[in-house]
Amino acid sequence: MRKNSVKNTRINEAVRAELSRIISREVKDPRISMMTTVTAAVVAPDLKTCRVMISVLGSEEEKQETMAGLKSSAKFIRHELAVSLNLRNTPELHFYLDESIEYGVMMSKKIDDVMQAEREKKGDAAEEADEENEQDEED
């Protein structure tokens, strides 16, 4: 995979920030959840296409509705992007659901659960050792 140039990285960040603004403020589709975040935008070096990674906080149904709303609003969003950013070509937008944030939260919770179980296990072992010591002292 080719490393992004500084120019391409700058374009990606500008497109991501502008898409975030457009989706949250300009698009009036009721299917799009209020808890929608643009996590990344990857514009092709020729500025023809853009992969937009979207994270939606909510149920699976809300995610699907949000993605459907974004796909139906893609032409409007592209037009608004063309108006606000001065690019040689305005990229065609392709929306993808990004579940990495949810995956990270789920893994963090699993780690916390394991750590809590280890603490409880150590606590139980310490209590058993204290009880054995007390019995030995009584004998």
Side-chain angles (χ1 to χ4, degrees), residues 1-6 8-9 45:
M1 185 173 188
R2 196 172 85 108
K3 183 178 177 184
N4 281 345
S5 67
V6 173
N8 201 352
T9 303

Side-chain angles (χ1 to χ4, degrees), residues 32-47:
I32 298 175
S33 171
M34 294 301 294
M35 300 301 288
T36 301
T37 306
V38 179
T39 57
V42 182
V43 180
D46 63 357
L47 302 178

